[in-house]
Amino acid sequence: VVVTAGVYSIVGFEVTPATVIGLLTTLGFSLYDTVVVFDKTGTLTVGQREVVDLVSAPGTDASTLLATAAAVEKFSEHPLALAILKKSADLPVDRAVEFTNIDGQGARAELAGETVLLGNRLLMESHGVNLSGLAQEGARLQGARRTVVHVPRAGRLLGLIAIADAVRPSSRETIQALQKRGVKVAMLTGDNQATAERSGRELGIDMVLADVLPGQKADKIKGLQSQGHKVAMVGDGINDAPALTQADVGFAIGAGTH
């Protein structure tokens, strides 16, 4: 364990209940007034996402859907992008230009003079993309705790790409052990509220903080502190640095993701 400005860097991939409780006790925290906030991806989950389903709109085949998405994601190192690129590795992919990352929502690029968007419902709604044709399929995928990537080109929805990230085998045990000592456990995620709540129920989480953009994480920690809680944050030392620093104590693990 390495300490820097109140952030404890954990060597390896797991944060054990003994480590968290031991440090909180040493620092004089009352466990019953403490909330331990876990960033979901790469902390409670494995952080290695895979494409598990493709749903094409009428007139579009799965290969076209995947290749279109891959043309945009070539420019990104986001875990969702890497999953799409891995799935499309054997497909011919055209070159997109003018790539733009849209924080917490997705990305856009130009492909053969047409705008391609990749992202969540918020991005689609902000660009007026009609999702009604695949709304039922989208609900089904979200109900199965999949991250749903919408892919429209030139304003027409080509289809949906479903991506999943497995829960770490140790996550439930860690959460239960903390709760037995009186610690409340929260999960911080960019997933939509419905998906996040399903994941929270599966893991036995006390508080679910959903639809959180990367730049909003520190504000969510401040919000819990303003309610009188001492807050410990567990996340990636690079991408979650502001939230880890804002927390009363931060645990930066060695397996975080964007």
Side-chain angles (χ1 to χ4, degrees):
V1 178
V2 180
V3 185
T4 306
V7 177
Y8 292 74
S9 298
I10 309 298
V11 179
F13 299 90
E14 305 288 348
V15 175
T16 67
T19 301
V20 174
I21 291 171
L23 285 172
L24 293 177
T25 302
T26 300
L27 293 168
F29 284 32
S30 168
L31 298 183
Y32 289 93
D33 295 327
T34 300
V35 178
V36 176
V37 180
F38 287 88
D39 185 65
K40 178 187 173 185
T41 302
T43 305
L44 293 176
T45 64
V46 176
Q48 297 175 352
R49 303 188 183 189
E50 295 185 347
V51 173
V52 294
D53 204 350
L54 297 167
V55 179
S56 302
T60 302
D61 59 45
S63 295
T64 299
L65 169 64
L66 196 56
T68 302
V72 177
E73 297 292 40
K74 274 185 175 182
F75 299 92
S76 176
E77 294 183 354
H78 190 281
L80 298 182
L82 298 180
I84 290 171
L85 292 174
K86 179 180 177 181
K87 185 71 173 179
S88 63
D90 296 330
L91 295 175
V93 175
D94 293 332
R95 179 175 177 79
V97 296
E98 297 182 29
F99 173 85
T100 303
N101 180 65
I102 303 170
D103 195 27
Q105 297 185 27
R108 63 172 289 166
E110 298 296 314
L111 185 61
E114 296 179 329
T115 299
V116 178
L117 298 172
L118 259 72
N120 57 25
R121 288 184 64 94
L122 288 175
L123 182 62
M124 300 302 110
E125 290 169 0
S126 68
H127 285 76
V129 178
N130 185 356
L131 304 179
S132 60
L134 295 179
Q136 187 173 349
E137 286 294 321
R140 174 184 68 81
L141 294 170
Q142 288 186 344
R145 300 188 308 279
R146 307 309 191 206
T147 297
V148 180
V149 179
H150 304 75
V151 187
R153 177 171 180 170
R156 185 179 75 85
L157 186 64
L158 299 184
L160 310 174
I161 300 176
I163 297 174
D165 183 10
V167 171
R168 285 188 185 278
S170 61
S171 291
R172 294 181 188 85
E173 178 185 350
T174 297
I175 291 164
Q176 290 171 3
L178 291 170
Q179 290 169 331
K180 285 179 181 178
R181 295 295 299 271
V183 177
K184 288 186 172 60
V185 178
M187 180 180 73
L188 190 66
T189 176
D191 291 347
N192 66 67
Q193 191 70 39
T195 299
E197 287 179 356
R198 281 187 287 270
S199 297
R201 285 193 295 270
E202 179 185 352
L203 289 164
I205 297 286
D206 297 304
M207 305 178 190
V208 173
L209 306 173
D211 289 312
V212 181
L213 299 177
Q216 297 174 332
K217 293 180 181 181
D219 288 337
K220 293 297 182 181
I221 301 299
K222 285 182 186 178
L224 291 172
Q225 291 169 325
S226 71
Q227 297 170 27
H229 299 294
K230 289 289 187 181
V231 179
M233 169 76 184
V234 184
D236 168 20
I238 298 174
N239 299 295
D240 297 330
L244 290 166
T245 303
Q246 175 62 41
D248 296 285
V249 59
F251 296 88
I253 66 171
T257 56
H258 294 282

